[in-house]
Amino acid sequence: QVQLVESGGGLVQAGGSLRLSCAASLRTFIRTFSSYDMGWFRQAPGKELEFVAARNRYGSSTYNTDSVNGRFTVSRDNAKNTVDLQMNSLKPEDTAVYYCAARSVYRAGDWRAHEVDYWGQGTQVTVSS
């Protein structure tokens, strides 16, 4: 079992930056943090859950280019069991609850919600105009 705790959300002005962090604690002895793909989803008010970005266990990153458009960077530190999302040039439409996610299955491309094994509780990001 994996527990994910997000932090770093808050209120920023448009054009600003914010860095989200997700700390994972593993309640298993058969898997390590490096055995999971780690990613981020978000859900804006009144909208469906949307994949944002991920960094897999092999060091490759995947981005939802339609929503991120080069503004976000995902990174992970296997030694600290953390995955971060650096968000730059934030726009009001980035306002959402951001969820950290862990995936044990491997598949290339954008993540699908049903592939996620563990979810964080979410952290609110609000971008003011």
Side-chain angles (χ1 to χ4, degrees):
Q1 185 179 352
V2 177
Q3 288 183 302
L4 306 175
V5 180
E6 303 97 333
S7 62
L11 174 64
V12 297
Q13 293 183 342
S17 298
L18 204 61
R19 189 178 185 91
L20 306 182
S21 183
C22 173
S25 62
L26 282 71
R27 294 179 178 270
T28 179
F29 296 99
I30 62 175
R31 286 188 180 272
T32 63
F33 181 78
S34 61
S35 298
Y36 293 89
D37 299 341
M38 300 297 298
W40 295 88
F41 286 77
R42 69 184 183 185
Q43 188 165 28
K47 296 185 178 180
E48 295 183 350
L49 196 66
E50 179 186 44
F51 171 72
V52 178
R55 190 170 180 88
N56 69 21
R57 70 204 75 177
Y58 307 111
S60 297
S61 298
T62 301
Y63 297 95
N64 184 338
T65 55
D66 290 338
S67 60
V68 171
N69 195 27
R71 299 177 297 116
F72 294 2
T73 302
V74 65
S75 61
R76 65 187 291 168
D77 188 334
N78 290 340
K80 297 180 179 179
N81 291 356
T82 58
V83 59
D84 290 357
L85 184 68
Q86 178 66 46
M87 304 184 294
N88 300 321
S89 302
L90 285 163
K91 304 174 181 179
E93 50 263 44
D94 294 319
T95 295
V97 177
Y98 284 72
Y99 297 94
C100 181
R103 186 182 74 174
S104 60
V105 66
Y106 177 75
R107 185 187 61 81
D110 289 3
W111 284 25
R112 299 163 183 166
H114 69 84
E115 298 172 334
V116 174
D117 295 308
Y118 303 102
W119 295 92
Q121 291 293 99
T123 185
Q124 177 70 48
V125 172
T126 303
V127 184
S128 62
S129 60

